[in-house]
Amino acid sequence: MAALKLQLITPTGTVFDGVVNSVTAPGLRGRFGILTRHAPMISALQQGLVHIARDSDEVHVVIGDGLLEVADNTITILSGIARQVASDAEAASVLALAREQSDQTAR
């Protein structure tokens, strides 16, 4: 089976770069999943939690608004912010802070 590669990139650098089994991302119309041999696509992303499944574990990353591209078994996520989190509670806290900062910027 062909390997699925993920690159998660922010303006300050690469947050994740590696081989994965699957990725679930927060699209504008809801969450969606990507597996090996996914059709090429581009999607807008909203603030939320990206679930990254690997052979031995799962990684969770909170992202801001961004874009996702799938092509040739490579997923590229571009986001203004991204932070790896260890738990759902930490993810909720980081998301709340990001939404608060976004609301203040919009005013």
Side-chain angles (χ1 to χ4, degrees):
M1 180 187 278
L4 181 63
K5 182 176 180 182
L6 170 65
Q7 295 178 306
L8 200 161
I9 303 166
T10 69
T12 58
T14 301
V15 175
F16 185 94
D17 187 358
V19 175
V20 300
N21 293 336
S22 67
V23 173
T24 304
L28 294 180
R29 295 186 177 183
R31 298 187 60 73
F32 61 90
I34 300 168
L35 300 171
T36 304
R37 296 191 181 129
H38 195 286
M41 67 176 269
I42 295 175
S43 177
L45 300 175
Q46 64 180 350
Q47 282 182 351
L49 191 60
V50 175
H51 292 276
I52 303 164
R54 301 188 291 188
D55 284 338
S56 59
D57 64 349
E58 287 191 9
V59 177
H60 305 283
V61 180
V62 173
I63 64 164
D65 295 341
L67 294 172
L68 177 144
E69 177 188 36
V70 179
D72 298 322
N73 277 324
T74 299
I75 304 166
T76 304
I77 296 176
L78 304 175
S79 179
I81 61 165
R83 178 175 167 190
Q84 190 168 332
V85 293
S87 68
D88 288 342
E90 184 182 4
S93 174
V94 170
L95 280 169
L97 180 60
R99 286 187 182 114
E100 183 179 310
Q101 289 173 344
S102 178
D103 289 346
Q104 288 176 357
T105 302
R107 292 180 196 174

